[in-house]
Amino acid sequence: MLGKTNISTLSEGAIVTEIEDFKWIQIQSGIYGNFVKAVCKNGYLAAITADGTVVYTTDGEVWQTSVLEYEDCKLNDVDWDGSRFILVGSYTDASRNPVDEYGLILCTTDFVTYEKVVIPNAEDSTISNIKYDREYIVIYP
């Protein structure tokens, strides 16, 4: 339970939260992407959308939005590993030739600052022209 919130539900464009006396309020999130996953860990309720947007709250009433600054960002999973949140998905790197999709792993403790995890040689590894790091699908901390 976060603050006075008992239940929160997510839908396209809105978050609906039950506050104390079984009163439901709709909070306009401004998010119109499809929610992929939500996690309630370490005092945060956080949810990700397929298009790279993160919404989070510590009380269920005031929601913040964090838009990841990666081109064509796609998020697939978010989880808590005991010391930080980990988000995985993919992005397009237009600065490379040829432009290609790469796997994305980000860590955060507060959903304000993110640290990209770089796996050595992952973005340059190919076997028979098959890239194995185009997208990360799931986290298992």
Side-chain angles (χ1 to χ4, degrees):
M1 186 163 137
L2 297 168
K4 300 182 291 182
T5 302
N6 294 320
I7 301 170
S8 290
T9 63
L10 307 170
S11 68
E12 192 171 302
I15 298 167
V16 180
T17 301
E18 178 194 6
I19 305 295
E20 286 183 352
D21 303 320
F22 305 105
K23 297 177 189 171
W24 289 87
I25 59 170
Q26 183 174 359
I27 300 165
Q28 293 301 321
S29 67
I31 304 299
Y32 297 99
N34 294 323
F35 285 103
V36 174
K37 181 162 182 195
V39 63
C40 187
K41 303 278 177 126
N42 198 40
Y44 285 92
L45 173 57
I48 59 172
T49 66
D51 64 359
T53 302
V54 180
V55 295
Y56 59 96
T57 183
T58 56
D59 63 8
E61 295 178 49
V62 178
W63 290 80
Q64 303 293 321
T65 302
S66 181
V67 178
L68 302 177
E69 300 297 325
Y70 291 90
E71 189 173 336
D72 297 326
C73 183
K74 177 183 174 189
L75 293 175
N76 295 317
D77 201 2
V78 59
D79 210 338
W80 172 256
D81 74 354
S83 63
R84 63 195 174 171
F85 290 93
I86 304 171
L87 299 88
V88 297
S90 64
Y91 72 102
T92 301
D93 190 344
S95 69
R96 297 181 70 147
N97 189 9
V99 174
D100 207 349
E101 183 179 47
Y102 294 95
L104 180 63
I105 304 173
L106 298 172
C107 296
T108 184
T109 56
D110 59 7
F111 298 102
V112 175
T113 58
Y114 294 87
E115 177 185 343
K116 183 179 176 189
V117 175
V118 178
I119 299 174
N121 301 320
E123 291 186 356
D124 297 321
S125 64
T126 58
I127 298 175
S128 302
N129 295 325
I130 299 173
K131 291 187 66 61
Y132 289 96
D133 67 326
R134 288 201 169 160
E135 182 175 18
Y136 296 108
I137 306 296
V138 68
I139 303 166
Y140 186 73

